[in-house]
Amino acid sequence: MSEATGGRRPYVRPMTGWWKRDPFFVAYMWRELTAFAVLGYAIVLAVGFVRLSQGEAAFNGWLGAVRSPLSVVMHLVFLVSFVVHSMSWFEIMPKTMPMMFVGGKRLAGSAITHAGYAAAVVASLALLALARWGA
């Protein structure tokens, strides 16, 4: 024991499971966990590009793997994770953007969030239409 602490041991706050004590932090950790789904899907796409560069047979093998039942389930998990991940980004947009004014009035945060949702839906529908048109 040192004299600086007055003969007492210093308080050390336990850090294990700190995020489990508050529902806000539990939700935060779940949102952050969705970033691993983004990484996983990026790896799946990168493998697809590598297989494409290796020729038609290699790419068709990759397509077969992507169409397997396990892969379809994995892609559904990716989809749900992406939706949660995207929604969390749209929810923090009003907090990270500079204040916006329309007609001299400050734009509500919910309007910014809803504009982000609308942009995502429009972009998704446009990509879907482009994919259908190209097929």
Side-chain angles (χ1 to χ4, degrees), residues 52-121:
L52 182 62
S53 72
Q54 293 172 341
E56 184 177 352
F59 184 69
N60 286 337
W62 177 80
L63 278 178
V66 168
R67 291 179 178 149
S68 73
L70 180 61
S71 182
V72 170
V73 169
M74 183 178 67
H75 278 78
L76 289 174
V77 170
F78 284 155
L79 177 64
V80 170
S81 297
F82 278 26
V83 168
V84 171
H85 192 79
S86 299
M87 287 177 62
S88 68
W89 276 103
F90 293 133
E91 288 170 5
I92 66 167
M93 272 178 30
K95 300 171 186 167
T96 58
M97 291 176 58
M99 285 187 241
M100 296 183 68
F101 294 90
V102 176
K105 291 186 175 183
R106 183 175 174 192
L107 194 60
S110 60
I112 296 170
T113 300
H114 290 114
Y117 290 151
V121 168

